[in-house]
Amino acid sequence: CVCVTGDMAEGARITVRHLHALGHDRIALLGGSHQKRGTSSREHGCRDEMQALGLESGLRFRQELGYNLEDGSSGVMKLLSGLERSNWPTAIIAINDLVAMGALRQLYRMNIRVPEDMAAVGCDNQIFSAYTTPPLTTLDLHISELGRLAVSYLLNWQEGQSFLHQMENTLIVRESCGAKLGRRQFAK
């Protein structure tokens, strides 16, 4: 068995810590399916870090959806419907950059300013994430490097060997998280 992957749970913890350092304590997780291992790992990482930081009951704001643009857009509407504005999450962690991009579009349509009113963070560091409005903060999974490592392991594989390699992720901080605005106080 050759398994080369990013540490999804740790990547989620890094993202939650970053948002919390900026003053966010109501953080939503948007997209993904509990049936997928990567999504489940991210969700557990988010929940564990939120609980470690004493944030509101782990993942109070969780919208299980898919992985595309429309899921991000519809997810924002589902997430915010029925909530008083004062109870909205102050930050959204999207399961991937496509969901984040759909969320950004819907937030714009609803006149919710990113990052002033709500921060947004994606995952994957897709090429377009630097070109969204505002540029998307995202977790870089180092996909190219993971691919190179997997091929290298396979080329050097000998029968009976197993490899598990977990690569660290890197948070790419851009404008959508509000880091340039500094730590802020949000209504509780």
Side-chain angles (χ1 to χ4, degrees):
C1 176
V2 175
C3 184
V4 181
T5 184
D7 188 343
M8 303 305 235
E10 181 58 23
R13 287 189 285 273
I14 290 167
T15 305
V16 169
R17 279 193 300 269
H18 176 73
L19 290 169
H20 183 256
L22 295 175
H24 299 280
D25 65 351
R26 293 188 312 267
I27 301 170
L29 182 61
L30 191 62
S33 167
H34 295 298
Q35 307 307 314
K36 303 254 180 169
R37 186 169 41 111
T39 299
S40 179
S41 295
R42 288 184 216 181
E43 185 171 340
H44 289 303
C46 283
R47 180 174 281 119
D48 292 348
E49 192 61 29
M50 287 178 183
Q51 288 174 344
L53 294 169
L55 301 182
E56 292 187 32
S57 67
L59 279 177
R60 181 172 76 131
F61 305 104
R62 171 70 169 107
Q63 280 297 317
E64 184 176 0
L65 303 158
Y67 298 87
N68 64 44
L69 291 164
E70 283 306 313
D71 292 323
S73 183
S74 65
V76 166
M77 291 188 295
K78 290 177 185 176
L79 180 68
L80 302 180
S81 69
L83 291 176
E84 296 290 326
R85 190 174 181 118
S86 61
N87 291 325
W88 284 0
T90 58
I92 292 174
I93 299 173
I95 204 69
N96 64 28
D97 288 348
L98 282 175
V99 170
M101 192 171 167
L104 288 174
R105 182 177 63 189
Q106 186 60 39
L107 291 169
Y108 174 79
R109 288 177 178 162
M110 297 171 70
N111 294 316
I112 300 169
R113 300 170 305 155
V114 175
E116 295 84 359
D117 300 327
M118 193 174 297
V121 179
C123 181
D124 295 334
N125 195 26
Q126 296 293 325
I127 188 79
F128 60 78
S129 61
Y131 298 97
T132 60
T133 302
L136 184 63
T137 296
T138 184
L139 193 65
D140 190 344
L141 303 177
H142 306 290
I143 298 296
S144 296
E145 182 60 23
L146 287 172
R148 280 191 285 281
L149 278 171
V151 169
S152 174
Y153 282 135
L154 285 171
L155 291 173
N156 295 305
W157 181 77
Q158 295 174 11
E159 192 170 334
Q161 283 184 312
S162 289
F163 295 100
L164 171 60
H165 182 97
Q166 278 195 318
M167 182 174 282
E168 289 185 24
N169 304 307
T170 306
L171 188 65
I172 307 298
V173 178
R174 297 190 181 108
E175 294 173 36
S176 70
C177 68
K180 288 185 178 181
L181 300 174
R183 182 167 172 78
R184 296 173 289 154
Q185 284 292 109
F186 295 95
K188 299 242 179 199

